[in-house]
Amino acid sequence: MQWVKGRTILVSLAALLGALLIGAIFILLAKSDPVRAYKVMLTGPFSSSFGLTETLVRTTPLLLTGLGIIISFRSGVLNIGGEGQILIGAITAAGVALKCESLPAPVLFPLVLLSGALAGGIWGGVAGFLKARLNVNEILSTVMLNQIAAQLYLLLIRGILIDPQEVAYGTGVPQTALVPNAVWMSRLIPGTRLNTGFILALVLAVAVYVLLMKTTVGYRLRAVGAGPEAARYAGINVPFYMVLSMFLAGALAGLAGTVEVLGVHHRALEDISAGYGFSAIVAALFGRLHPIGAIPASILFGALILGADMMQRAVSIPAAIVMVIQGFIILFVVGSDILIRRPELLEQLKTWRRRRSREVA
């Protein structure tokens, strides 16, 4: 067992290193110093209180969305729709907060949290229903729902929910007005953007662990993912648990969008997600689809996202190069998951290398 865990860690770190090495080639092509660039990227997030807190700010939506990814993936449904679910949760939370601002804070705050989570859950549940009842490929449906969510989000923040001041000034910046102070999440450290959403994410990581590993519902979700036909034979309502897994995944992603509105930006604005829906998939896989393992994995990828931004500013690397590096990290980490789940491929690779060595000799 210890050897298996060691191999898993080794393969995951090797995938991350391989992505960075490939990225170094593109940095060289951009006529920049990859050593200096990676030094900033890997040490910048941990070199100051600003870097540490901003890393945790980015960790929060990654962890919340990643927890949903873990539930859906373990249930056998490949949810690629985290990005759209985040946007739906964010715009719903902002809309409810603005339209119901006359409500007292003890009522308004939980109402906004629940509405954002519910909206994301319904959005995810649509893909789950299509998969369970109509056998629609969930990768296709969630990707398409991402596009619908993105366009709907832009329509709302440029239309009926646009900040009235933007209309009055004629600037037309696509964003909502500030949500009421009563629903702002408290800052954990004054002067930083780190808020209680991070604590919420940690609590939910433990809750998801208990749900999946210690409850009957969690056992049935995992059974459906391990073998739907066997689960159906055992009397488990497979379609119901497929839809439930996607609803829970969407709810957690919607909550991530809600936290971004209430805890970080205090309004819904363009590009609020920053690609968290896709990065969360990598963080979840890097954490071996374990709710507790997702915590350090999300912190690592939160640091990489922040470090990439710092690297871009420090060594004047084009934004496209940063996106290429992030893309290679995603590609290599996802690819490494295949090697971890199918160790025989590593043995075949070793056999091929030994054969090639004998042929060269």
Side-chain angles (χ1 to χ4, degrees):
M1 180 63 68
Q2 293 297 326
W3 180 84
V4 172
K5 290 182 178 179
R7 183 194 66 202
T8 298
I9 294 173
L10 183 62
V11 171
S12 298
L13 292 177
L16 185 59
L17 178 61
L20 294 177
L21 288 175
I22 297 295
I25 297 175
F26 286 89
I27 295 175
L28 286 172
L29 292 175
K31 299 181 180 179
S32 296
D33 182 1
V35 175
R36 183 186 170 207
Y38 281 147
K39 182 180 179 181
V40 172
M41 179 179 178
L42 298 176
T43 63
F46 306 105
S47 61
S48 65
S49 59
F50 169 80
L52 289 171
T53 55
E54 282 298 306
T55 293
L56 297 181
V57 168
R58 286 160 173 76
T59 296
T60 302
L62 287 176
L63 179 54
L64 287 170
T65 308
L67 291 172
I69 297 296
I70 289 169
I71 293 175
S72 62
F73 275 38
R74 279 185 170 267
S75 302
V77 185
L78 301 180
N79 177 25
I80 316 297
E83 193 76 3
Q85 294 150 18
I86 289 173
L87 295 177
I88 292 298
I91 195 62
T92 301
V96 171
L98 291 170
K99 299 300 181 182
C100 303
E101 60 181 337
S102 60
L103 293 175
V107 175
L108 183 59
F109 182 71
L111 175 64
V112 172
L113 282 179
L114 289 174
S115 63
L118 180 61
I122 293 173
W123 201 258
V126 170
F129 178 83
L130 293 174
K131 167 74 173 179
R133 295 298 182 184
L134 303 177
N135 200 29
V136 175
N137 184 284
E138 70 273 26
I139 297 177
L140 176 62
S141 64
T142 50
V143 169
M144 296 304 296
L145 283 168
N146 280 343
Q147 295 301 314
I148 297 172
Q151 297 305 315
L152 179 61
Y153 182 86
L154 289 175
L155 175 66
L156 291 174
I157 63 174
R158 289 175 176 172
I160 61 174
L161 290 180
I162 191 171
D163 186 353
Q165 291 187 353
E166 297 296 335
V167 178
Y169 296 152
T171 50
V173 176
Q175 62 184 23
T176 67
L178 290 172
V179 297
N181 290 1
V183 297
W184 289 16
M185 286 184 158
S186 303
R187 296 292 164 89
L188 295 177
I189 301 176
T192 72
R193 300 197 303 169
L194 182 61
N195 58 81
T196 51
F198 177 67
I199 304 299
L200 176 63
L202 295 179
V203 171
L204 286 174
V206 177
V208 170
Y209 169 76
V210 173
L211 170 68
L212 283 178
M213 307 300 177
K214 304 296 182 181
T215 67
T216 302
V217 172
Y219 172 79
R220 290 174 178 173
L221 287 170
R222 290 185 288 116
V224 170
E229 293 302 323
R232 186 176 289 107
Y233 183 77
I236 296 175
N237 188 341
V238 173
F240 171 79
Y241 284 99
M242 282 186 174
V243 177
L244 177 63
S245 70
M246 283 298 293
F247 175 83
L248 293 175
L252 285 163
L255 193 58
T258 302
V259 169
E260 285 296 288
V261 171
L262 305 186
V264 180
H265 305 289
H266 301 146
R267 67 171 86 222
L269 43 77
E270 197 170 10
D271 298 325
I272 193 172
S273 174
Y276 292 132
F278 299 110
S279 298
I281 298 174
V282 189
L285 291 173
F286 204 79
R288 305 306 309 138
L289 293 181
H290 193 287
I292 305 303
I295 297 175
S298 297
I299 293 174
L300 172 62
F301 279 90
L304 288 177
I305 291 172
L306 176 62
D309 293 339
M310 291 181 168
M311 176 181 69
Q312 181 183 348
R313 293 191 296 268
V315 295
S316 300
I317 295 177
I321 298 296
V322 174
M323 294 181 65
V324 166
I325 295 173
Q326 291 176 340
F328 274 116
I329 291 174
I330 293 174
L331 180 63
F332 275 60
V333 171
V334 173
S336 71
D337 186 64
I338 299 175
L339 294 178
I340 293 170
R341 288 188 289 104
R342 298 183 59 189
E344 69 273 11
L345 294 179
L346 285 175
E347 295 300 324
Q348 293 175 7
L349 180 61
K350 291 178 182 179
T351 302
W352 179 81
R353 289 181 62 185
R354 285 195 295 266
R355 185 181 303 116
R356 289 292 298 172
S357 298
R358 286 196 297 268
E359 290 176 355
V360 172

